[in-house]
Amino acid sequence: MVREPNKLKRVLFSKAAIADNDNFDNIIFTDECSVQLHDNKVIIYREKDSVAPVLPKPKHPLKVHVWAGISRRGTTSILIFENIMTSDFYINSILVTGLIPFINRVYPDTHRFQQDNDPKHTANATKDFMRQHNINWWDVWPAESPDFNNRDGVEHDEV
């Protein structure tokens, strides 16, 4: 399900990692996902031509977003939030609260920070903040690579 131009980029990335004998020991892999209650599909079996029951649905189902990171040296804190993620929210609530304390505590020597190419992650304000705070953003991760949300190999849009 990977587009042709990105297949070559993924192969070249993998070959470079092998050639460099990169064991990813200083990389902090991060991602976010959304979790929503009452978003389940319900299958009801009934007799032919009978009336389908009306199932109650909440008007505003609970939806939360989760951000976390993993690395060979451990995990970041799990951050749960309900807000829409903007670059400003990402900087002040995710990077300041979740990432920087983890880097200071677990990677005081060196690190590489991996995130996907979500517009909030690549906004000028975000990149400026990462430069100012010495966050070593490892921005070589190929497009359409597997991520924490992607279990079926197909890229999905997330909020």
Side-chain angles (χ1 to χ4, degrees):
M1 302 300 289
V2 177
R3 291 176 288 168
E4 286 302 319
N6 290 326
K7 286 182 183 179
L8 178 60
K9 291 175 186 174
R10 287 174 64 177
V11 169
L12 293 174
F13 170 82
S14 299
K15 285 183 176 182
I18 292 168
D20 293 343
N21 201 24
D22 194 340
N23 60 9
F24 306 107
D25 62 343
N26 68 343
I27 297 179
I28 306 162
F29 294 95
T30 64
D31 206 355
E32 63 275 337
C33 71
S34 300
V35 180
Q36 181 171 327
L37 295 179
H38 303 288
D39 193 29
N40 304 334
K41 301 289 184 225
V42 177
I43 298 174
I44 297 175
Y45 295 95
R46 57 189 171 88
E47 290 184 24
K48 189 174 182 175
D49 298 326
S50 66
V51 178
V54 177
L55 299 177
K57 274 188 165 181
K59 187 171 184 175
H60 303 287
L62 176 63
K63 182 175 186 176
V64 296
H65 311 286
V66 180
W67 177 92
I70 60 171
S71 73
R72 283 199 160 184
R73 296 186 191 175
T75 61
T76 66
S77 298
I78 295 175
L79 300 177
I80 300 171
F81 56 98
E82 294 182 38
N83 305 6
I84 299 295
M85 188 188 299
T86 61
S87 177
D88 186 56
F89 180 85
Y90 183 66
I91 291 167
N92 295 312
S93 296
I94 303 292
L95 298 180
V96 169
T97 306
L99 183 67
I100 291 176
F102 179 76
I103 290 171
N104 292 339
R105 188 176 72 254
V106 179
Y107 284 96
D109 46 351
T110 184
H111 72 278
R112 291 180 284 174
F113 172 53
Q114 185 276 334
Q115 59 185 350
D116 59 26
N117 289 320
D118 185 296
K120 295 152 221 49
H121 302 163
T122 59
N124 288 334
T126 304
K127 290 192 275 189
D128 290 344
F129 178 87
M130 289 191 292
R131 275 191 291 274
Q132 292 167 4
H133 291 85
N134 298 315
I135 297 173
N136 182 20
W137 177 29
W138 192 52
D139 63 349
V140 297
W141 201 248
E144 297 181 331
S145 291
D147 65 18
F148 296 160
N149 299 315
N150 194 348
R151 292 177 295 281
D152 57 6
V154 178
E155 197 67 26
H156 299 282
D157 292 328
E158 298 289 331
V159 173

